[in-house]
Amino acid sequence: METYEFVLTETPAPGVGVIRLNRPAALNALNQALMRDLMAALLAFEADPAIGCILLTGSDKAFAAGADIKEMAATPYVAMFMQASLIDGFDFSRIHKPIIAVVSGFALGGGCEIAMMCDMIVASETAIFGQPEINLGILPGGGGTQRLTRAVGKALAMEIMLADRRLTAAEALHYGLVNRVFAVEVYFAEAVKLAQKIAGLSQVAVRLTKEAIQKAEELPLHEGLEFEKRNFYLAFGTDDKAEGMAAFIEKRKPAWKHS
């Protein structure tokens, strides 16, 4: 397994790949080098046929406390606009496998944005979500204004981003930002269980389903329905469709071929 400077990787269970942000002295603040490592690790798991689901996490104290402000403060407008900036590192669109953010402690600014880029969020009871960029005279640039508004609604998103309101894990669960909340002692183990369940399914069906759900946020309803129908028909041409239906009829566990 490849090693990186600012992320750690492991496979704690069959089919499950873990990427752990690893700048503990900076509460996992996001800089260019960390984002390069993160994308490289994601692409490596994406290319690994043995991995069916990816967990992205930090430490119990901080998922990621935001962008590295010292690095960002030295970046002028032209460089931010013309060159590959930190914002460009927030593109997870090339990852077709499900990604679950496993969040404990601070998930602020870019950390909150990275969590929202994932397909699901499992949180510990200590998790804190927020977008405090307004205090620096800027605004979220990694999707915060768009994804947070879609997740929690306009009014609450305004308060979070204009008044620096922070959401506790319980509030994030209530408003639909996270999927599940567990005690800090067990949140990671519970996330692994969820990832194992997904990784044990047909990777083809999982990918087709993830694509269709993503389109629900991007397309008008009639176009989304057409996209869903297309993927539904595609599933009928797979080996896993034949195996899944045969296993159901024969009352046995499917032996997925992922094809």
Side-chain angles (χ1 to χ4, degrees):
M1 185 177 295
E2 187 173 351
T3 58
Y4 307 92
E5 184 178 3
F6 291 118
V7 303
L8 304 174
T9 58
E10 61 175 314
T11 53
V16 179
V18 174
I19 301 171
R20 187 177 299 274
L21 306 180
N22 188 39
R23 289 189 73 202
L27 295 179
N28 294 330
L30 309 172
N31 62 8
Q32 298 279 5
L34 184 150
M35 291 306 300
R36 284 193 293 269
D37 281 355
L38 172 55
M39 284 307 306
L42 282 169
L43 289 169
F45 278 141
E46 172 74 7
D48 186 345
I51 298 300
C53 189
I54 302 168
L55 299 181
L56 175 57
T57 191
S59 68
D60 290 347
K61 186 176 181 180
F63 176 75
D68 189 323
I69 303 305
K70 291 181 181 179
E71 181 181 79
M72 189 175 288
T75 306
Y77 162 76
V78 173
M80 183 69 75
F81 180 70
M82 295 296 292
Q83 300 174 13
S85 69
L86 182 65
I87 293 172
D88 298 316
F90 284 83
D91 179 18
F92 289 6
S93 63
R94 288 178 288 173
I95 311 303
H96 302 291
K97 296 174 182 179
I99 309 172
I100 303 173
V102 190
V103 177
S104 186
F106 299 111
L108 303 177
C112 186
E113 289 173 306
I114 282 187
M116 290 189 295
M117 287 189 65
C118 297
D119 302 301
M120 288 176 271
I121 302 176
V122 172
S124 85
E125 293 173 336
T126 68
I128 298 291
F129 299 87
Q131 299 286 167
E133 289 89 346
I134 197 77
N135 296 321
L136 302 173
I138 59 173
L139 69 155
T145 62
Q146 304 304 301
R147 291 189 177 93
L148 188 60
T149 303
R150 285 169 167 79
V152 305
K154 173 188 170 184
L156 183 56
M158 286 284 189
E159 185 178 358
I160 291 169
M161 285 180 270
L162 295 182
D164 190 17
R165 175 175 171 180
R166 312 287 173 91
L167 293 185
T168 66
E171 289 174 321
L173 180 65
H174 173 74
Y175 290 113
L177 183 61
V178 308
N179 294 77
R180 304 183 188 183
V181 175
F182 298 99
V184 69
E185 295 82 8
V186 299
Y187 77 102
F188 185 77
E190 293 293 338
V192 171
K193 290 180 186 177
L194 177 59
Q196 276 187 283
K197 183 174 183 178
I198 295 169
L201 301 171
S202 162
Q203 290 187 25
V204 179
V206 167
R207 175 171 173 170
L208 291 173
T209 303
K210 172 177 170 171
E211 288 180 349
I213 294 171
Q214 288 175 321
K215 291 300 181 183
E217 289 191 323
E218 302 169 3
L219 299 175
L221 178 59
H222 70 281
E223 293 182 26
L225 291 172
E226 286 300 316
F227 188 91
E228 177 190 84
K229 188 186 301 181
R230 188 208 71 166
N231 278 16
F232 179 72
Y233 292 156
L234 283 174
F236 270 71
T238 66
D239 294 328
D240 283 349
K241 171 263 180 185
E243 170 61 14
M245 293 192 176
F248 178 84
I249 293 168
E250 296 165 12
K251 296 181 172 58
R252 59 174 175 82
K253 186 176 180 179
W256 302 118
K257 299 179 180 178
H258 308 301
S259 61

